[in-house]
């Protein structure tokens, strides 16, 4: 796929440099939901209570890098079987492999913003949640460099 042809349609990377970001790992199915405007996390995860305005996404495949971030516009809870952004297929793909929890927090996202330069994996990926600033994302070339400026959590 020619990603360059979509560059003109990408939102500008104009977030404040000091804005707090939660960096999370996403498999392709989860990343596609982020493109659709939401990221779910089991309510028991610390990130559902942490204070941040943006989320950044470490993509496990096909690139093994942090490639995008998005502004969090809202957080809502959804219980399995009740109406919300997630349907049963979403629960099966995004929550069931990782947790038996019946309540998730849905981070509703603005459009994904591609980083000018992805943060490449030179470690073992991102585990849990890392917290940094937008400026940290823009300047780190590798996960090692990003990790030096982060706090970690679940």
């Amino acid at each position: 796929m020619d990603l360059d042809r979509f560059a003109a349609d990408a939102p500008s990377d104009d977030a404040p440099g000091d804005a707090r970001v939660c960096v999370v790992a996403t498999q392709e199915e989860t990343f596609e939901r982020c493109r659709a405007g939401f990221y779910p996390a089991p309510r028991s995860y610390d990130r559902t209570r942490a204070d941040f305005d943006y989320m950044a996404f470490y993509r496990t495949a096909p690139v093994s890098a942090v490639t995008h971030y998005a502004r969090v516009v809202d957080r809502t809870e959804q219980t399995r079987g009740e109406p919300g952004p997630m349907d049963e297929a979403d629960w099966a793909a995004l929550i069931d492999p990782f947790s038996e929890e019946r309540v998730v927090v849905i981070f509703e996202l603005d459009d994904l913003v591609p980083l000018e330069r992805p943060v490449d994996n030179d470690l073992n990926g991102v585990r849990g949640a890392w917290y940094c600033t937008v400026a940290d994302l823009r300047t780190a070339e590798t996960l090692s460099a990003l990790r030096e400026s982060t706090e970690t959590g679940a």
Side-chain angles (χ1 to χ4, degrees):
M1 176 187 300
D2 180 12
L3 297 178
D4 291 334
R5 69 186 178 99
F6 297 109
D9 296 333
S12 297
D13 181 8
D14 60 1
D18 62 350
R20 191 160 191 248
V21 179
C22 174
V23 182
V24 295
T26 59
Q27 295 178 358
E28 277 305 297
E29 289 178 330
T30 307
F31 188 72
E32 288 308 312
R33 288 355 183 263
C34 295
R35 284 188 195 277
F38 71 93
Y39 170 86
R43 185 174 58 183
S44 62
Y45 287 17
D46 289 343
R47 71 189 76 157
T48 65
R49 294 173 302 283
D51 183 34
F52 55 87
D53 295 315
Y54 292 83
M55 294 191 86
F57 307 102
Y58 166 74
R59 296 170 65 190
T60 57
V63 294
S64 193
V66 178
T67 61
H68 293 75
Y69 74 91
R71 185 172 64 89
V72 176
V73 295
D74 201 6
R75 298 178 190 207
T76 57
E77 285 192 2
Q78 182 178 348
T79 301
R80 181 187 294 276
E82 293 185 4
M86 295 199 345
D87 60 24
E88 279 304 313
D90 292 327
W91 282 90
L94 308 176
I95 302 300
D96 293 346
F98 310 104
S99 173
E100 294 180 4
E101 194 153 343
R102 296 187 45 77
V103 180
V104 296
V105 173
I106 308 289
F107 293 90
E108 295 178 41
L109 307 171
D110 210 343
D111 292 336
L112 296 183
V113 177
L115 291 169
E116 185 175 313
R117 184 183 61 241
V119 181
D120 292 323
N121 181 14
D122 64 337
L123 296 170
N124 292 321
V126 173
R127 302 278 187 266
W130 295 4
Y131 300 95
C132 62
T133 66
V134 170
D136 295 332
L137 286 177
R138 291 177 180 142
T139 59
E141 293 185 19
T142 63
L143 287 183
S144 294
L146 184 61
R147 185 164 178 99
E148 289 176 12
S149 61
T150 66
E151 358 166 345
T152 59

